[in-house]
Amino acid sequence: MCSHSNDPHILCPQCDLLVTLPTLQYGQKANCPRCKSTLTTRWQEPRKRPVGYAISSLFMLLLANLFPFVNMNVKGLTSQITLIKIPQVLVSDDYSSIASLFMIVVQLIPAFCMVSIIILCGGVTLPRKWKIRIAWVLFHLKAWCMVEIFLAGVLVSFVKLIAYGEVGIGTSFIPYVLFCLLQVRAFQCTDRFWLWNQAVPAPVIAQPLRVGQSGLSQGLRSCACCMAILPVSQQTCPRCFSKGYARKKHSLQWTMALLITSMMLYIPANLMPIMITQFLGTKITSTIMAGVVLLWSEGSYPIAMVIFIASIMVPSLKMLAIAWLCWDANGRKKVDRERLHVVYEVVEFVGRWSMIDVFVIAVLSALVRMGQLMSIYPDIGALLFALVVILTMFAASTFDPRLIWDRSGIFETKEQLDGGK
Ligand SMILES: [Zn+2]
Ligand SMILES: [Zn+2]
């Protein structure tokens, strides 16, 4: 219980390098010496901490759903919404797809993840099989928690509305911000490597391990779910029972297929209107680019930049980057692996932030309902754009980053063999 892990070896899930973990002090993390990604972190009170954060975040989420979230006042007419009303308005506009997406990524998945952390770290008595399932789902859903992105979307919609009237925050707003911060902390404190080693000891490997070499060259693979080191020939992990292969199966084919689909959707997503604004009887439809131009002409330069970067630059660059990664993984050219890996990490991290514009539309169309005076409705472009973001996220997750490293040589420098602190 007291040691961080029984097995000091780890196969980097990002670059497939076999690393010996050093003895970590509290608060220290071990990074992969080759790709620099974090392998594991040693936390003080690794059980109480995440459980504490998760329980308080759930309490905040409950509070956030009870009271009005934001309000707006235009020429004496006041409109206020609760968090739960946002999807309801979208459903009444026949945009139940965006409403469900909103409910799932902003409330349901984060709440589920927090409950899972409480169950797994809090030592709740459940059959082991259940706990394994929960842990599997938890680490797969992590990227789909979009609480902080939604919050950024709310702030952007405030700036968009300032030109028309007074906007204010309701009683629920502060609890929601706290929920956002606490759930980020809860995730940070939950270390996957530690959690699995505590739940079930890692399976023993019969063959000698050669540290500083790739797993593939020694016939080993890292379990995609629990990070256990397994022989390539063993397809089902004895610890978490998930099936896996040395590399993600048909990784490039899947990534390319999802990428091409998202590229095809990206064109209509930019040409079709994402939102309809009714202001004093006139109806204005606006595309993503038109929204940016409008904000810029109104003088909201920072927000115009945020929307331009999140909705136009990031998706297009992300598609180019994924295409580049696929092309390189197929090729035989010698390139800078480290730089390519940074590209991959940026794509993985930044991609979800493109969802910001979809949330802005959700908030605007729920809040701005004042009949003829001013009303905002979502339009088909928003749905297409949300699909593009989802597809590119799947494309990035089906890409196997170890392919970037597979053709690079063996690691030679002695000091790099032990994981850096
Ligand atoms: Zn690595
Ligand atoms: Zn496993």
Side-chain angles (χ1 to χ4, degrees):
M1 273 304 262
C2 49
S3 73
H4 182 61
S5 63
N6 314 320
D7 183 20
H9 291 107
I10 192 167
L11 257 181
C12 175
Q14 301 287 321
C15 75
D16 202 32
L17 187 76
L18 188 68
V19 182
T20 311
L21 286 175
T23 319
L24 296 173
Q25 302 298 317
Y26 288 128
Q28 265 188 335
K29 37 182 183 177
N31 290 333
C32 170
R34 182 157 71 166
C35 70
K36 309 289 179 285
S37 59
T38 302
L39 299 170
T40 178
T41 311
R42 188 177 182 201
W43 293 99
Q44 207 165 8
E45 301 288 0
R47 285 182 187 280
K48 285 184 194 155
R49 229 175 224 257
V51 172
Y53 284 126
I55 291 177
S56 6
S57 78
L58 281 176
F59 181 63
M60 287 302 154
L61 182 64
L62 179 73
L63 286 184
N65 273 294
L66 291 178
F67 308 104
F69 186 59
V70 284
N71 57 59
M72 188 188 179
N73 190 319
V74 185
K75 298 193 171 91
L77 257 169
T78 310
S79 151
Q80 67 174 19
I81 47 158
T82 54
L83 268 179
I84 210 78
K85 218 182 127 193
I86 298 176
Q88 282 173 5
V89 173
L90 289 167
V91 169
S92 68
D93 280 344
D94 288 334
Y95 276 94
S96 35
S97 43
I98 299 183
S100 0
L101 174 79
F102 177 84
M103 268 315 274
I104 290 169
V105 300
V106 173
Q107 298 228 42
L108 295 180
I109 291 184
F112 174 83
C113 289
M114 290 305 109
V115 174
S116 312
I117 289 178
I118 295 170
I119 291 174
L120 296 173
C121 296
V124 177
T125 33
L126 264 185
R128 184 181 268 193
K129 222 175 171 176
W130 278 55
K131 282 197 174 182
I132 287 171
R133 280 268 161 269
I134 293 171
W136 188 90
V137 178
L138 171 68
F139 292 105
H140 277 81
L141 285 183
K142 211 174 149 183
W144 296 91
C145 283
M146 300 195 176
V147 181
E148 59 274 32
I149 304 169
F150 169 66
L151 214 52
V154 173
L155 296 178
V156 169
S157 27
F158 274 10
V159 177
K160 281 197 167 193
L161 289 175
I162 277 172
Y164 302 101
E166 285 167 30
V167 275
I169 55 169
T171 323
S172 272
F173 191 79
I174 301 293
Y176 196 79
V177 173
L178 290 173
F179 164 63
C180 174
L181 298 174
L182 288 165
Q183 61 98 29
V184 169
R185 267 316 265 169
F187 271 123
Q188 266 182 349
C189 298
T190 313
D191 188 69
R192 179 156 71 141
F193 186 69
W194 173 84
L195 197 65
W196 276 108
N197 278 342
Q198 292 298 307
V200 192
V204 181
I205 286 283
Q207 69 188 83
L209 301 172
R210 293 197 304 271
V211 175
Q213 292 188 13
S214 75
L216 196 63
S217 68
Q218 335 175 22
L220 296 172
R221 71 177 180 94
S222 167
C223 174
C225 173
C226 73
M227 299 169 94
I229 302 174
L230 303 171
V232 170
S233 52
Q234 195 169 4
Q235 283 186 0
T236 311
C237 172
R239 176 152 75 168
C240 67
F241 308 117
S242 61
K243 260 189 123 174
Y245 305 90
R247 294 290 172 267
K248 284 178 193 166
K249 226 182 173 190
H250 305 307
S251 162
L252 284 179
Q253 286 91 327
W254 270 109
T255 311
M256 288 299 283
L258 288 164
L259 179 69
I260 292 167
T261 320
S262 59
M263 277 174 169
M264 290 196 299
L265 281 174
Y266 189 56
I267 302 164
N270 272 290
L271 296 177
M272 309 275 243
I274 50 166
M275 173 168 103
I276 305 166
T277 314
Q278 243 174 7
F279 188 63
L280 298 171
T282 48
K283 219 176 181 183
I284 314 154
T285 55
S286 54
T287 57
I288 298 174
M289 199 57 209
V292 175
V293 172
L294 184 73
L295 278 168
W296 189 267
S297 64
E298 281 169 354
S300 322
Y301 304 119
I303 299 296
M305 288 298 284
V306 166
I307 295 290
F308 180 75
I309 293 171
S311 309
I312 294 172
M313 259 177 73
V314 167
S316 4
L317 287 179
K318 187 177 175 179
M319 287 174 198
L320 282 177
I322 296 175
W324 182 26
L325 287 170
C326 287
W327 181 74
D328 174 78
N330 252 336
R332 291 268 165 267
K333 253 174 67 188
K334 234 184 148 58
V335 282
D336 189 349
R337 312 263 143 228
E338 266 117 72
R339 193 171 303 165
L340 216 55
H341 190 83
V342 170
V343 170
Y344 171 76
E345 297 239 297
V346 170
V347 161
E348 271 268 78
F349 177 76
V350 167
R352 11 194 323 268
W353 282 89
S354 303
M355 209 57 111
I356 195 167
D357 220 18
V358 178
F359 292 146
V360 170
I361 295 160
V363 173
L364 288 180
S365 48
L367 183 61
V368 189
R369 283 299 157 94
M370 295 161 192
Q372 283 295 306
L373 179 62
M374 190 182 177
S375 291
I376 292 178
Y377 305 91
D379 208 344
I380 187 76
L383 179 61
L384 293 172
F385 187 74
L387 277 175
V388 170
V389 180
I390 293 171
L391 285 171
T392 50
M393 276 177 73
F394 275 124
S397 71
T398 51
F399 182 80
D400 196 328
R402 291 170 293 192
L403 295 174
I404 300 174
W405 301 90
D406 277 353
R407 279 167 298 118
S408 64
I410 299 160
F411 228 50
E412 278 133 340
T413 355
K414 191 84 184 93
E415 69 266 19
Q416 286 170 311
L417 299 185
D418 314 304
K421 282 178 203 173

